[in-house]
Amino acid sequence: MNVLIYDTEEQIGIAAGNYMCGQVLQKPDSVLGLATGSTPLKPYNQMIDLYKRGVVDFSQVTTFNLDEYVRLNVKDKNSYHSFMHENLFDHINIPEENINFLNGNAEDLEQECKNYEKKIKAAGGIDIQLLGIGSNGHIAFNEPADCFQRWSHVVTLKESTVKDNSRFFTSIEEVPTQAVTMGIGSIMQAKKILIIALGKKKAAAIKQLIDGNVTPMCPASVLQFHTDVTLMLDKEAASLL
Ligand code: PGA
């Protein structure tokens, strides 16, 4: 694993945004796997900045987001659909039809998950998957569990994740308790992975990811088996290494 440690979140934002854009410069029709949460905000700002400065063109790019809440209106400000539009898609030129999400409002969620996998495959697979990490070691909504879930699936969120995410909602009761998420196999099939972690509360999960046993109790630890992983960490997230 390529472990890069930076002084500030700003520096990580620039480095990570440049890394994503570098992929697009090299292959204009890249397939990008994207993430939500507070971690990717600065990388997305950098991608927007490079686009606005005419450095990079996203017109041939396709995206797949990692996950979405179940039964939350996509227009709700807390849907990942809204998040991505507000923080990235509304400011760059990815054609709307190239933007893909798991539909958490699909009638048949199991079928929706199967279709999503087919779409990723039909697009040629993901070139770079951007990931955050949960304080409990989750990636996307793959929560600590007894076994790894391979493909996209419906998941009931752990209490700790509901609590972590409640900061975006008015009250914890409003946080959906289910989500649809890419599986560990979907993520592991990405050609490259860029994982970012900020802050002390990610330090234990990062230590386990890098040095620990590979176990579904820390889903991110499976990344030890991927051949092209870059980690961008601030000093706090790297403090236990
Ligand atoms: P965060 O979430 O970026 O808001 O810390 C990361 C995650 O839970 O994957």
Side-chain angles (χ1 to χ4, degrees), residues 132-225:
I133 183 170
S135 53
N136 64 4
H138 75 212
I139 44 176
F141 274 131
N142 293 278
E143 299 280 14
D146 294 336
C147 62
F148 291 114
Q149 288 264 358
R150 192 165 185 188
W151 304 124
S152 294
H153 58 283
V154 185
V155 63
T156 297
L157 305 183
K158 290 265 181 208
E159 225 176 281
S160 56
T161 302
V162 171
K163 202 165 153 234
D164 279 356
N165 291 0
S166 66
R167 67 191 192 274
F168 301 110
F169 292 78
T170 336
S171 72
I172 196 161
E173 290 74 31
E174 281 178 27
V175 187
T177 54
Q178 280 197 310
V180 264
T181 181
M182 278 192 205
I184 293 295
S186 337
I187 292 168
M188 288 293 281
Q189 284 201 338
K191 291 166 195 112
K192 292 181 191 165
I193 290 183
L194 172 60
I195 180 158
I196 305 173
L198 305 169
K200 202 155 189 59
K201 83 175 191 195
K202 305 291 174 74
I206 288 297
K207 177 159 179 58
Q208 171 90 29
L209 190 180
I210 293 175
D211 286 340
N213 293 329
V214 173
T215 162
M217 290 313 292
C218 175
S221 64
V222 77
L223 297 174
Q224 289 179 27
F225 293 155

Side-chain angles (χ1 to χ4, degrees), residues 6-241:
Y6 296 85
D7 285 331
T8 65
E9 184 181 352
E10 277 66 31
Q11 290 172 356
I12 294 184
I14 293 167
N18 289 352
Y19 189 80
M20 298 299 284
C21 288
Q23 167 68 36
V24 177
L25 290 175
Q26 199 179 48
K27 184 182 173 220
D29 61 348
S30 286
V31 179
L32 305 181
L34 299 178
T36 50
S38 40
T39 309
L41 286 173
K42 289 213 160 50
Y44 290 160
N45 283 344
Q46 177 68 3
M47 289 166 75
I48 294 166
D49 191 46
L50 291 179
Y51 166 71
K52 290 201 165 146
R53 284 162 46 197
V55 177
V56 65
D57 169 29
F58 293 96
S59 63
Q60 295 177 62
V61 164
T62 297
T63 66
F64 287 89
N65 259 81
L66 283 170
D67 45 17
E68 181 57 282
Y69 288 118
V70 163
R71 309 288 166 229
L72 185 68
N73 191 317
V74 291
K75 300 280 180 219
D76 188 293
K77 71 172 173 43
N78 284 307
S79 78
Y80 289 170
H81 186 278
S82 292
F83 175 97
M84 288 305 302
H85 280 82
E86 189 185 326
N87 293 297
L88 183 65
F89 298 147
D90 289 352
H91 312 285
I92 61 174
N93 66 334
I94 301 177
E96 189 66 34
E97 63 273 19
N98 290 5
I99 294 172
N100 297 285
F101 282 91
L102 279 156
N103 176 8
N105 289 297
E107 209 165 295
D108 184 343
L109 290 169
E110 308 284 331
Q111 191 56 47
E112 170 63 18
C113 290
K114 284 189 189 141
N115 294 347
Y116 203 60
E117 293 295 333
K118 279 191 202 144
K119 264 200 226 167
I120 295 173
K121 208 168 167 196
I126 292 169
D127 290 302
I128 290 191
Q129 178 64 58
L130 176 62
L131 291 176
I133 183 170
S135 53
N136 64 4
H138 75 212
I139 44 176
F141 274 131
N142 293 278
E143 299 280 14
D146 294 336
C147 62
F148 291 114
Q149 288 264 358
R150 192 165 185 188
W151 304 124
S152 294
H153 58 283
V154 185
V155 63
T156 297
L157 305 183
K158 290 265 181 208
E159 225 176 281
S160 56
T161 302
V162 171
K163 202 165 153 234
D164 279 356
N165 291 0
S166 66
R167 67 191 192 274
F168 301 110
F169 292 78
T170 336
S171 72
I172 196 161
E173 290 74 31
E174 281 178 27
V175 187
T177 54
Q178 280 197 310
V180 264
T181 181
M182 278 192 205
I184 293 295
S186 337
I187 292 168
M188 288 293 281
Q189 284 201 338
K191 291 166 195 112
K192 292 181 191 165
I193 290 183
L194 172 60
I195 180 158
I196 305 173
L198 305 169
K200 202 155 189 59
K201 83 175 191 195
K202 305 291 174 74
I206 288 297
K207 177 159 179 58
Q208 171 90 29
L209 190 180
I210 293 175
D211 286 340
N213 293 329
V214 173
T215 162
M217 290 313 292
C218 175
S221 64
V222 77
L223 297 174
Q224 289 179 27
F225 293 155
H226 194 285
T227 54
D228 193 336
V229 177
T230 299
L231 278 110
M232 293 188 182
L233 311 174
D234 65 6
K235 290 207 165 118
E236 290 75 32
S239 59
L240 296 177
L241 298 180

